[in-house]
Amino acid sequence: MLALARWIMRGTPQAIAAAALTALVPWLFWFSAAVAGLVTLRRGMTTAAPVLLAAALPAGWWWMQGDSVPLASILLVTLMATVLRSRMRWSEALIVGSVVCMALVQLGIFVPAGGTAPLLAELRQSSSEVASMLDQLSAQGVDTELMATLVIGGATGLVVLLAGIACLALARSWQAGLYNPGGFREEFHALKLSRKQLLLLVGLMALGMVLAVPAASLLAWVPLLVAGVALVHGFIGLKGMSGFWLVGFYALLLTTWPTILIVLLLALVDTFADFRGRLTRSD
């Protein structure tokens, strides 16, 4: 992939072609987002504007077809790349991305154009058990359409945010591989949230619960999760452990909820304890 990234960075025409073509192909929008992120990280938003436009036009066409995810992902990655380039802090880019995704979910960007009523009708027809469950919820006074809207919008927003972070990491790794070998590894291994940033995230969660904004409570923990993942990477790197430990870690992270909770807790404690700093000093 690094060879492809090198070709993309040869000039704006190559970057425009890569961004436009991959945004047009279903399920390759993530590559287009990474291309836009790479050019933004290296050359800045002004120079990257034609590449962003080339990626946004096909993604906008997908939006008109009812799929808002490609365009939202491309714009989100570009925004986070702009913050990362200017501030040089992953934590700030993650928080900005989370807040933007909260706003998108709250605005209903990820809800189907016709609403959730047609989807619920299809589910009722396809399964009598689902129909019975929905009827029971309605009898209990639950607005099933609102519930479906929150679930679909929140789940899609979470996927977009996580995919956007992954695309930004891919773009940053390309940039490091081309211009600063080893830089991304060092940068990611050092990622942690400051106490003020942690307090901000806790405040967003609390505000979401008080104001009945589920998106805030759902997405505010994502930067903390990424910081926890970075902590594990940093620990394994400092100890010189085999890469198989990372394979096992990700297998657990993707398949078990307790692992996610443990990672969140470790990141929370690390904000105050600075495990990697202590480990470095002890060595």
Side-chain angles (χ1 to χ4, degrees):
M1 268 197 166
L2 194 59
L4 183 56
R6 185 176 291 108
W7 176 81
I8 290 170
M9 293 304 292
R10 284 182 180 176
T12 301
Q14 290 90 331
I16 287 176
L21 290 175
T22 51
L24 191 59
V25 178
W27 297 107
L28 275 183
F29 65 87
W30 59 270
F31 192 91
S32 181
V35 171
L38 171 62
V39 179
T40 302
L41 286 169
R42 181 61 182 172
R43 298 175 181 170
M45 185 60 194
T46 303
T47 306
V51 180
L52 175 60
L53 182 62
L57 287 175
W61 180 81
W62 282 113
W63 187 319
M64 294 174 64
Q65 305 306 307
D67 186 1
S68 59
V69 171
L71 182 58
S73 300
I74 290 167
L75 296 178
L76 181 65
V77 172
T78 305
L79 175 62
M80 291 194 294
T82 302
V83 174
L84 183 57
R85 173 183 166 85
S86 62
R87 301 292 296 171
M88 297 299 293
R89 291 188 180 94
W90 265 93
S91 56
E92 294 186 11
L94 294 173
I95 291 173
V96 169
S98 297
V99 171
V100 170
C101 257
M102 291 174 197
L104 293 177
V105 172
Q106 197 62 28
L107 291 171
I109 298 298
F110 301 121
V111 178
T116 57
L119 177 62
L120 291 176
E122 284 186 25
L123 289 174
R124 286 179 182 275
Q125 293 176 359
S126 62
S127 172
S128 58
E129 293 181 0
V130 172
S132 176
M133 182 186 67
L134 292 175
D135 290 337
Q136 290 177 7
L137 290 172
S138 298
Q140 295 170 7
V142 177
D143 188 339
T144 54
E145 287 192 29
L146 177 60
M147 183 183 69
T149 298
L150 293 175
V151 170
I152 294 173
T156 306
L158 178 60
V159 170
V160 167
L161 179 57
L162 293 175
I165 294 170
C167 290
L168 181 62
L170 178 60
R172 194 64 157 177
S173 67
W174 284 344
Q175 183 190 26
L178 293 174
Y179 308 107
N180 182 27
F184 172 66
R185 181 178 186 272
E186 180 180 348
E187 182 181 62
F188 187 68
H189 284 192
L191 167 61
K192 62 176 292 189
L193 299 180
S194 68
R195 297 181 184 183
K196 290 182 179 179
Q197 290 168 342
L198 179 61
L199 184 62
L200 173 61
L201 293 176
V202 172
L204 286 172
M205 290 184 189
L207 195 63
M209 289 186 286
V210 171
L211 299 180
V213 182
S217 302
L218 176 66
L219 300 177
W221 59 268
V222 173
L224 189 64
L225 177 65
V226 177
V229 172
L231 171 62
V232 174
H233 275 259
F235 179 83
I236 291 176
L238 286 172
K239 286 295 187 179
M241 299 164 67
S242 168
F244 286 109
W245 286 95
L246 284 177
V247 174
F249 166 69
Y250 278 108
L252 289 173
L253 186 68
L254 294 173
T255 57
T256 61
W257 276 105
T259 303
I260 295 176
L261 296 177
I262 292 170
V263 171
L264 288 171
L265 180 60
L266 286 174
L268 177 65
V269 176
D270 183 55
T271 298
F272 302 94
D274 189 15
F275 294 131
R276 283 158 291 189
R278 291 171 181 267
L279 185 60
T280 302
R281 288 192 294 271
S282 66
D283 291 341

